[in-house]
């Protein structure tokens, strides 16, 4: 059954004029980074994310935010791309590839070699001062925080630094969003990997592809609200399925 699905996915990707990939936290769980909504992932269970992971919560209590993001930051800095990220990067060699749109902040698509990546929810590459907007590389800041657990402050003005991740209540980065929307409208196949598709407005992007006549392929462990709109749904581990789809494409070239 799954091998039939893999062949069907490869056929859809091969026929497309423009393929894009849309990913969520599930593509990075095989790299050891927990997602938010899988049962027992832990990231949702110990704190109310609408409080600690919102811009209002951050401004009121940055220490609670840093305390909450600590496990994610720690595993993210240590994580490596997995077979699914590498398979996505390999899709670029087939000539009809548009872009990767990701909700992840872990930078693993770029590290796997994908060249056009729209990071809708920001990234852990940089941190910005909430007062003077000076930008600093995030890695040394996070590393120091992991050692001393003290909220990082701007060396220039003394205000709190915030990693460039988009919190609840914040606008998505406009250039990233416009680029992603444009790619989604042009795509005739969108491969969706490891997203519960429950976080708007990012989760509206597959609908743009659909509305413009494109087809959706979903690879996700659990059902999603868009399964009924998809051409093909594969409920399985992305790190197993994506390399098989790429191999199947290679044998068809
Ligand atoms: P989500 O946690 O809401 O959903 C993840 C989905 O992936 C689930 O439906 C789960 O069934 C599926 N999944 C888990 N492991 C999988 C695997 N190996 N193969 C296939 N499917 C798998 O994630 P989301 O939709 O991305 O939304 C969560 C929000 O949290 C996003 O905004 C994202 O920015 C942020 N987040 C990012 C990271 C990261 O950067 N790696 C990690 C956690 C949360
Ligand atoms: Zn400052």
């Amino acid at each position: 059954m799954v091998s039939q699905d893999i062949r069907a996915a490869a056929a859809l990707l091969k026929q497309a004029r423009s393929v894009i990939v849309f990913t969520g936290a599930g593509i990075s769980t095989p790299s050891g980074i927990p997602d938010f909504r899988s049962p027992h992932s832990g990231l949702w269970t110990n704190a109310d994310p609408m409080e600690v992971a919102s811009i209002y919560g951050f401004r009121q209590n940055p220490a609670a935010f840093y305390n909450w993001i600590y496990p994610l930051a720690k595993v993210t800095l240590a994580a490596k791309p997995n077979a699914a990220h590498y398979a996505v990067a390999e899709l670029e060699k087939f000539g009809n590839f548009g872009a990767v749109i990701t909700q992840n902040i872990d930078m693993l698509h770029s590290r796997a070699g994908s060249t056009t990546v729209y990071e809708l929810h920001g990234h852990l590459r940089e941190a910005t001062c909430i007062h003077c907007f000076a930008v600093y590389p995030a890695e040394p800041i996070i590393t120091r925080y992991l050692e001393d657990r003290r909220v990082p402050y701007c060396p220039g003005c003394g205000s709190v630094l915030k990693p460039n991740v988009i919190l609840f209540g914040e606008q998505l980065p406009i250039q990233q969003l416009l680029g992603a929307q444009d790619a989604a409208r042009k795509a005739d196949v969108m491969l969706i990997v490891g997203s519960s598709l429950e976080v708007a407005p990012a989760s509206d992007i597959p609908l743009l592809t659909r509305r413009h006549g494109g087809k959706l392929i979903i690879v996700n462990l659990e059902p999603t609200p868009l399964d009924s709109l998809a051409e093909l749904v594969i409920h399985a581990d992305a790190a197993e399925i994506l390399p098989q789809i790429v191999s199947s494409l290679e044998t068809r070239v």
Side-chain angles (χ1 to χ4, degrees):
M1 182 60 192
V2 169
S3 65
Q4 221 175 333
D5 288 344
I6 284 161
R7 280 196 298 277
L12 284 167
L13 293 170
K14 186 156 172 52
Q15 285 155 14
R17 285 185 319 279
S18 175
V19 168
I20 59 173
V21 174
F22 179 94
T23 67
I27 196 169
S28 296
T29 57
S31 294
I33 305 175
D35 63 11
F36 277 177
R37 286 175 185 75
S38 287
H40 317 301
S41 79
L43 285 182
W44 263 177
T45 42
N46 301 327
D48 179 355
M50 297 306 277
E51 248 175 56
V52 292
S54 74
I55 187 65
Y56 318 105
F58 179 84
R59 285 176 185 279
Q60 272 175 0
N61 189 355
F65 166 80
Y66 275 101
N67 199 35
W68 172 78
I69 207 169
Y70 165 81
L72 184 58
K74 190 174 177 177
V75 287
T76 300
L77 287 190
K80 294 192 173 62
N82 65 61
H85 297 103
Y86 287 116
V88 169
E90 278 205 55
L91 287 175
E92 293 193 11
K93 71 184 183 200
F94 296 103
N96 60 353
F97 194 78
V100 179
I101 301 170
T102 189
Q103 301 168 86
N104 296 342
I105 59 171
D106 57 31
M107 306 163 293
L108 292 181
H109 283 298
S110 318
R111 286 179 56 195
S114 286
T115 54
T116 307
V117 184
Y118 296 109
E119 294 170 315
L120 294 178
H121 292 165
H123 50 77
L124 283 171
R125 224 173 270 116
E126 291 166 340
T128 302
C129 171
I130 60 167
H131 181 68
C132 75
F133 302 111
V135 177
Y136 302 92
E139 189 162 343
I141 293 165
I142 294 168
T143 307
R144 202 174 329 121
Y145 176 78
L146 293 176
E147 280 160 14
D148 65 15
R149 305 299 294 266
R150 285 163 56 181
V151 172
Y153 288 97
C154 173
C157 78
S159 288
V160 176
L161 294 176
K162 176 182 159 293
N164 285 6
V165 296
I166 306 302
L167 302 181
F168 289 109
E170 284 191 294
Q171 299 284 340
L172 267 52
I174 190 70
Q175 293 303 333
Q176 302 289 311
L177 181 61
L178 292 175
Q181 289 174 334
D182 188 47
R185 281 189 206 98
K186 287 180 184 146
D188 47 8
V189 173
M190 176 186 274
L191 173 61
I192 300 170
V193 187
S195 176
S196 63
L197 298 171
E198 279 173 13
V199 186
S203 56
D204 295 336
I205 287 181
L207 295 175
L208 281 179
T209 299
R210 224 5 254 270
R211 253 182 244 131
H212 284 75
K215 292 172 179 161
L216 308 180
I217 304 171
I218 298 180
V219 178
N220 203 64
L221 282 180
E222 290 164 37
T224 80
L226 298 192
D227 282 8
S228 59
L229 295 179
E231 193 75 10
L232 182 62
V233 179
I234 305 178
H235 288 148
D237 183 348
E240 281 177 24
I241 296 298
L242 264 59
Q244 293 184 52
I245 293 176
V246 170
S247 305
S248 179
L249 268 170
E250 276 162 347
T251 57
R252 287 161 162 269
V253 170

